[in-house]
Amino acid sequence: MKKEDTVKLISAEGFEFVIDKNAAMVSQTIRNMLTSPGDFAETEHQEVTFPEISTTILEKICQYFYWSLQYASGKETEFHIEPELTLELMMAANYLHT
Amino acid sequence: MSSQKKRNFQIEAFKHRVVVDPKYAEKTWKILEHAIHEIYNHNASGLSFEELYRNAYNMVLHKFGEKLYSGLVSTMTLHLKEIAASVDASQGPLFLEELNRKWMEHNKALQMIRDILMYMDRTFIPSTHKTPVHELGLNLWRDNIIHSINIQTRLKDTLLEIVQKERGGEVINKGLMRNIVKMLMDLGPTVYQNDFEKPFLDVSATFYRGESQQFIECCDCGDYLKKAEKRLNEEIERVSHYLDAKSEVKITNVVEKEMIETQMTRLVHMENSGLVNMIVDDKYEDLSRMYNLFRRVPTGLMLIRDVMTSHIRETGKQLVTDPERLKDPVDFVQRLLDEKDKHDKIINLAFNNDKTFQNALNSSFEYFINLNPRSPEFISLFVDDKLRKGLKGVSEEDVEIVLDKVMMLFRYLQEKDVFEKYYKQHLAKRLLSGKSVSEDAERSLILKLKTECGYQFTSKLEGMFTDMKTSQDTMQGFYEAMGPALSDGPTLTVHVLTTGSWPTQSTTTCNLPPEILSVCDKFRTYYLGTHNGRRLTWQTNMGSADIKATFARGQKHELNVSTYQMCVLMLFNNADRLSYKEIEQAVEIPAMELKRCLQSLACAKGKNVLRKEPMSKDIGEDDEFYFNDKFSSKFYKVKIGTVVAQKESEPEKQETRQRVEEDRKPQIEAAIVRIMKARRVLDHNNIVAEVTKQLQSRFLPNPVVIKKRIESLIEREFLERDREDRKLYRYLA
């Protein structure tokens, strides 16, 4: 995987997730961060820090990005979410505009 | 995000910071405000998108959306005011560039601001019905920059000035223009229209009004049109280069109105270069240009068409009424055809084959061809000339082309029955003298006439062909039957003509020489022997003969002469000198014909087989005739023409006219009866109208004649007048 095709997402605890750019861009917010004109720090370093998202949730989110890329076209598969994560995940989704 | 089945549900503690700090909103806004300033100052590289986004997100989440929004408006306005000042301060030509640069920057900043405030755009703005960030940015730009007092007029004037420069031939920065105009369009259609398009159209109208005035004074029509076309194309190109596509119609309308519509009448009638001159000189390019330009304005084509029509009518009228032209019918028709070809070509090449123009051309021809009552005769003579000699050695296709052209003229004729009369006469002459070049061509034309006018029209013509054919067979049979009995007499060829099919000629007497007479009698006996109950009369006025004559020094010639001439010449076998009276007594040819015949024998230079005393052009009652044994010719065969006017003489014309009128009577009556049979009761005017309609494919009946026919039908009790309403007629079965 080429460096320029990936992006680094960093959780509140400092965990780094390196994922495909187009997977990350499932999130409208991340897409804006990476493509907005002008040189925001995120665009420059190709990494985004989320001080309010925990590692667990960010991991789930990354999983969702890939799932979405693969199945969003309407295939009948389920994305498994542990009930205890639901609320936080929904809030993160709102934040990330996913 | 899709959620899972609910089991073991447990709500975790809210992780976002709960606002405790009353100054939280103020603080957060300060961060964002700072960021906006940085963005406008091109200092954004150090900023964290995530942080700004999170702050804006939290502000909206914690019900400080209103504060965020109003803060944005005031901050942006502040920056825009600064920009306005800097644009305003830019010097002369740099003004547009500065404006454009600032506009680009503003766009970029706006994009960034919108991105970090996206959460507000998504949630707060729709729920409070505020203007979304991007649109807000454009509106603020419009109000603070474009509509600021200093900039608004300056911008407009600058743009118009640049357009004017380009019209004057200067090279301008099209890219910059496109960007600025694009900016106006981005700010909304009304901005573009009010701040640019409207004044642009006004200025253009004034400009073109002036220019068209100037051009029309100093250019001829062709040049003017060239210039107008160039201007029009320039404007269209301008639109495609840097204006809104919707402006094209508007600006071309302006050019059309100012350069074409207001000047077109003057252009068309321009002396020495107007439409008529173009047509006369076959200026296809100029005509085409005029057509394409005038087509753009509502009455443009009508104007061209009207002027063209009146021109064609005028020249046509001159052509058909010019007494000089009437002397040569073939040339007359050829000129008509040339005229038609010329205009066909113009319509084809320059007027886009416009149907309405073709119709105008046709109606013009119809109009002026029928101005001359002799047109039908001349057209028939033209065909006669073509079929006699004109088509010799011409390929079949070319023959068809000529015939088609003739048919086209024929279609214009109102008195088609007159044409038929003449055609029949001319055809008869061709057939009997064996002068027709090609039977195929003859038949082809008859077929065309048939498709045009129906079976009735040509049945007699076809009958003539049939007669010719059967005559051939009859002659063959005759010679086979008679065999050697005829071997040393003259060879006789008889055409048996059915009465009615052929043009009727009053039978004239003529004493045939005894040699001929005996053969004729043999034929009569033979023919009546095979065909019972028929009557044969000799049409000596239509025949011809080949006779061999020996002149001085033993020179022999074969003379091709008419039957009358043959009779006269045969007399000189037994006499050297005969007086007019003696000849007349011997042959009993009507005086008119005899004079003609003698004239051609004695007076034609180089072909005078007879000599006459006294020498003069005309034949007198007391003249004497000798055999001219000094006659000589380069050719063995000599054709002695008869002095016949190719055209009809005045009395003959009257006679034909009368015959035509006579023939029309039964046709009109038949039409009246047909109509009345169907309608039972009809008033006078309607009958006239219907009869005219029914007969117009053959001729235009005169209402007076129709009235007379109705009266005659009433007399013969086909119709009666209604007892109460005298205008009504009833049909009596």
Side-chain angles (χ1 to χ4, degrees):
Chain A
M1 215 171 355
K2 277 185 230 154
K3 182 86 169 64
E4 54 270 30
D5 291 338
T6 62
V7 63
K8 196 187 277 175
L9 307 181
I10 304 167
S11 75
E13 293 87 343
F15 261 85
E16 295 180 357
F17 297 86
V18 179
I19 64 167
D20 279 297
K21 226 183 204 174
N22 47 351
M25 286 202 193
V26 168
S27 154
Q28 192 59 43
T29 308
I30 297 179
R31 176 187 289 274
N32 283 345
M33 285 175 186
L34 298 177
T35 57
S36 190
D39 312 303
F40 284 112
E42 283 83 353
T43 326
E44 208 169 317
H45 303 118
Q46 297 289 312
E47 56 176 60
V48 188
T49 316
F50 297 103
E52 294 187 1
I53 301 179
S54 69
T55 311
T56 343
I57 298 297
L58 193 56
E59 184 181 10
K60 203 68 191 166
I61 287 170
C62 291
Q63 284 168 9
Y64 172 74
F65 285 162
Y66 280 100
W67 178 87
S68 172
L69 267 194
Q70 211 171 349
Y71 298 117
S73 50
K75 223 170 182 184
E76 284 293 321
T77 54
E78 288 194 337
F79 182 69
H80 180 78
I81 294 175
E82 293 78 358
E84 60 275 19
L85 295 182
T86 313
L87 183 65
E88 269 196 88
L89 215 45
M90 280 169 66
M91 284 172 47
N94 183 32
Y95 175 75
L96 291 174
H97 195 187
T98 306
Chain B
M1 224 184 255
S2 55
S3 68
Q4 262 285 352
K5 270 186 224 159
K6 297 174 184 120
R7 71 189 133 91
N8 229 354
F9 202 82
Q10 181 191 3
I11 297 174
E12 285 220 357
F14 197 60
K15 280 215 170 161
H16 295 291
R17 253 180 306 154
V18 179
V19 188
V20 276
D21 190 351
K23 287 197 180 150
Y24 162 76
E26 200 52 44
K27 269 188 189 160
T28 321
W29 165 244
K30 280 282 172 255
I31 297 171
L32 288 168
E33 190 187 20
H34 173 73
I36 292 172
H37 285 310
E38 293 293 305
I39 287 172
Y40 269 107
N41 294 333
H42 317 293
N43 259 338
S45 54
L47 299 174
S48 159
F49 188 108
E50 198 276 340
E51 186 196 346
L52 299 171
Y53 178 81
R54 180 156 37 81
N55 283 324
Y57 175 84
N58 285 330
M59 270 186 90
V60 173
L61 218 53
H62 295 129
K63 313 274 183 246
F64 294 112
E66 189 60 49
K67 184 175 174 62
L68 180 59
Y69 192 83
S70 58
L72 172 68
V73 172
S74 56
T75 314
M76 211 185 262
T77 309
L78 184 76
H79 277 282
L80 289 176
K81 289 218 185 301
E82 277 171 25
I83 290 175
S86 114
V87 169
D88 192 27
S90 61
Q91 293 300 308
L94 294 175
F95 169 68
L96 280 189
E97 303 213 12
E98 177 70 5
L99 181 64
N100 184 39
R101 200 162 53 77
K102 290 292 181 200
W103 164 246
M104 297 292 169
E105 286 171 15
H106 174 67
N107 256 338
K108 189 175 162 192
L110 187 59
Q111 175 89 38
M112 292 161 80
I113 292 169
R114 191 188 59 174
D115 283 345
I116 57 175
L117 298 183
M118 190 180 64
Y119 192 73
M120 179 178 79
D121 236 2
R122 242 171 72 209
T123 55
F124 175 73
I125 285 170
S127 62
T128 50
H129 306 292
K130 290 196 186 301
T131 319
V133 176
H134 184 74
E135 208 183 322
L136 175 75
L138 296 184
N139 289 349
L140 289 175
W141 175 269
R142 179 191 64 203
D143 298 340
N144 290 301
I145 313 276
I146 301 305
H147 287 172
S148 76
I149 306 158
N150 291 334
I151 294 178
Q152 191 167 23
T153 37
R154 188 170 171 194
L155 174 62
K156 184 188 80 188
D157 293 345
T158 314
L159 290 177
L160 295 178
E161 192 185 315
I162 291 177
V163 170
Q164 206 48 43
K165 270 186 187 163
E166 198 188 20
R167 281 192 184 130
E170 285 181 43
V171 178
I172 60 154
N173 185 346
K174 284 187 182 135
L176 182 60
M177 276 299 273
R178 185 171 50 235
N179 287 340
I180 299 291
V181 171
K182 175 88 173 24
M183 171 188 79
L184 294 175
M185 293 195 295
D186 285 345
L187 295 177
T190 47
V191 178
Y192 172 72
Q193 281 160 13
N194 295 335
D195 287 284
F196 175 69
E197 195 182 45
K198 236 176 248 154
F200 166 67
L201 294 177
D202 290 345
V203 167
S204 304
T206 322
F207 171 72
Y208 283 121
R209 198 171 308 137
E211 190 170 79
S212 70
Q213 276 301 336
Q214 186 196 333
F215 284 168
I216 199 127
E217 294 303 337
C218 64
C219 300
D220 68 10
C221 182
D223 284 344
Y224 182 96
L225 292 173
K226 258 179 223 155
K227 288 188 167 143
E229 187 187 41
K230 185 165 157 268
R231 281 305 194 194
L232 197 60
N233 289 336
E234 275 174 14
E235 290 303 328
I236 293 171
E237 212 170 298
R238 178 174 352 272
V239 171
S240 78
H241 278 143
Y242 54 80
L243 299 186
D244 183 7
K246 288 195 208 83
S247 298
E248 182 174 321
V249 185
K250 298 178 191 167
I251 184 66
T252 47
N253 274 340
V254 167
V255 183
E256 283 155 11
K257 184 166 172 293
E258 298 300 339
M259 293 211 77
I260 300 169
E261 201 171 353
T262 54
Q263 305 288 0
M264 67 183 175
T265 318
R266 191 161 162 197
L267 280 171
V268 162
H269 296 294
M270 208 177 248
E271 222 167 301
N272 299 326
S273 67
L275 177 60
V276 169
N277 295 77
M278 289 181 182
I279 291 177
V280 171
D281 300 339
D282 292 323
K283 297 209 161 152
Y284 302 120
E285 240 178 72
D286 287 344
L287 287 166
S288 172
R289 187 170 296 120
M290 181 181 271
Y291 177 86
N292 286 321
L293 288 175
F294 282 29
R295 184 163 59 169
R296 297 171 155 274
V297 298
T299 56
L301 288 190
M302 212 157 63
L303 180 69
I304 299 185
R305 204 162 54 230
D306 290 350
V307 172
M308 182 188 84
T309 307
S310 63
H311 166 69
I312 298 176
R313 285 187 182 210
E314 201 44 53
T315 46
K317 200 169 160 185
Q318 274 170 17
L319 187 65
V320 297
T321 52
D322 183 356
E324 272 303 301
R325 298 270 163 264
L326 299 187
K327 285 183 184 156
D328 184 355
V330 177
D331 180 61
F332 172 85
V333 176
Q334 191 56 51
R335 273 168 195 278
L336 287 181
L337 288 178
D338 291 349
E339 196 71 7
K340 178 76 166 57
D341 277 349
K342 174 189 170 77
H343 289 101
D344 271 341
K345 203 170 171 198
I346 288 176
I347 291 177
N348 185 18
L349 290 177
F351 297 158
N352 198 23
N353 253 338
D354 195 315
K355 269 271 171 314
T356 58
F357 278 68
Q358 285 170 356
N359 291 342
L361 176 64
N362 287 339
S363 75
S364 312
F365 264 79
E366 200 176 319
Y367 162 78
F368 71 72
I369 282 188
N370 288 302
L371 281 181
N372 185 344
R374 308 197 67 174
S375 292
E377 181 191 350
F378 286 1
I379 294 173
S380 176
L381 278 171
F382 178 79
V383 180
D384 189 53
D385 177 72
K386 288 290 170 216
L387 290 173
R388 269 173 195 272
K389 51 195 176 200
L391 294 176
K392 223 173 253 176
V394 177
S395 76
E396 224 166 277
E397 291 95 60
D398 292 346
V399 172
E400 281 295 303
I401 291 172
V402 172
L403 295 184
D404 279 336
K405 283 184 178 166
V406 170
M407 283 311 292
M408 175 196 71
L409 289 182
F410 170 74
R411 255 171 240 136
Y412 296 137
L413 290 177
Q414 273 163 359
E415 296 184 307
K416 297 196 169 58
D417 56 342
V418 179
F419 174 84
E420 186 199 359
K421 271 267 143 30
Y422 284 109
Y423 190 75
K424 212 156 102 182
Q425 277 174 22
H426 297 143
L427 176 64
K429 272 186 206 156
R430 282 203 297 279
L431 289 177
L432 292 178
S433 57
K435 287 287 163 50
S436 186
V437 175
S438 140
E439 195 180 321
D440 286 343
E442 293 276 7
R443 285 195 180 278
S444 156
L445 187 68
I446 287 181
L447 194 69
K448 286 181 204 302
L449 288 169
K450 197 170 174 178
T451 28
E452 194 69 29
C453 296
Y455 166 75
Q456 246 191 326
F457 196 88
T458 55
S459 60
K460 287 180 178 170
L461 301 178
E462 281 171 344
M464 291 162 77
F465 278 99
T466 324
D467 280 352
M468 293 304 288
K469 191 93 187 124
T470 27
S471 296
Q472 255 180 25
D473 297 343
T474 312
M475 283 326 289
Q476 223 170 1
F478 173 62
Y479 280 105
E480 270 165 24
M482 293 298 161
L486 292 169
S487 56
D488 46 352
T491 316
L492 178 74
T493 311
V494 181
H495 298 297
V496 184
L497 314 180
T498 315
T499 323
S501 293
W502 295 72
T504 41
Q505 301 264 358
S506 43
T507 27
T508 46
T509 51
C510 159
N511 285 343
L512 293 168
E515 300 93 318
I516 310 281
L517 208 54
S518 78
V519 193
C520 286
D521 283 339
K522 276 180 192 153
F523 178 79
R524 184 194 294 272
T525 330
Y526 165 79
Y527 186 79
L528 295 180
T530 46
H531 299 83
N532 254 338
R534 294 201 184 173
R535 229 160 47 96
L536 277 184
T537 41
W538 297 103
Q539 296 275 343
T540 42
N541 55 339
M542 290 157 92
S544 67
D546 292 330
I547 50 178
K548 283 179 183 153
T550 315
F551 296 92
R553 298 190 303 276
Q555 219 175 7
K556 283 188 180 181
H557 286 288
E558 194 177 301
L559 305 176
N560 178 273
V561 294
S562 73
T563 306
Y564 286 155
Q565 289 168 331
M566 182 264 295
C567 293
V568 172
L569 288 177
M570 292 295 271
L571 295 177
F572 288 89
N573 274 343
N574 304 321
D576 276 345
R577 163 194 193 98
L578 289 166
S579 71
Y580 176 83
K581 294 272 186 230
E582 284 169 323
I583 296 174
E584 191 178 24
Q585 260 173 13
V587 294
E588 288 182 15
I589 298 171
M592 259 286 285
E593 297 283 338
L594 181 60
K595 277 184 185 170
R596 259 191 201 178
C597 154
L598 284 171
Q599 202 176 9
S600 58
L601 286 171
C603 302
K605 234 185 178 178
K607 288 189 174 179
N608 53 335
V609 281
L610 294 183
R611 276 189 302 137
K612 144 177 134 64
E613 224 161 65
M615 292 287 279
S616 68
K617 280 266 169 190
D618 296 309
I619 307 293
E621 304 265 316
D622 306 318
D623 291 353
E624 302 235 326
F625 297 89
Y626 311 84
F627 177 62
N628 177 17
D629 60 359
K630 290 196 189 87
F631 175 84
S632 70
S633 168
K634 281 185 281 182
F635 305 102
Y636 174 65
K637 277 191 177 183
V638 180
K639 180 175 162 35
I640 311 288
T642 352
V643 184
V644 276
Q646 204 190 9
K647 274 189 314 179
E648 280 192 315
S649 61
E650 206 52 37
E652 278 175 322
K653 204 172 88 187
Q654 293 299 335
E655 202 189 309
T656 317
R657 192 76 226 171
Q658 213 162 2
R659 272 214 304 275
V660 167
E661 292 298 338
E662 278 309 311
D663 282 357
R664 282 180 183 181
K665 283 180 187 171
Q667 290 187 44
I668 296 174
E669 283 181 1
I672 296 172
V673 170
R674 266 199 303 275
I675 291 160
M676 290 308 290
K677 212 167 177 175
R679 300 295 198 86
R680 295 280 151 191
V681 183
L682 205 62
D683 67 292
H684 183 80
N685 287 347
N686 270 321
I687 294 186
V688 173
E690 294 252 350
V691 168
T692 313
K693 208 174 130 197
Q694 276 207 4
L695 294 174
Q696 70 187 2
S697 70
R698 295 177 53 76
F699 58 91
L700 269 188
N702 186 337
V704 181
V705 179
I706 298 178
K707 186 155 185 280
K708 278 198 182 138
R709 288 304 98 205
I710 292 174
E711 276 158 11
S712 155
L713 284 170
I714 291 173
E715 254 167 53
R716 284 178 282 159
E717 301 193 327
F718 282 95
L719 306 176
E720 65 169 6
R721 282 184 199 276
D722 192 275
R723 266 170 251 274
E724 278 134 41
D725 188 350
R726 303 299 285 170
K727 271 190 208 150
L728 281 186
Y729 302 107
R730 298 180 167 281
Y731 179 69
L732 299 174

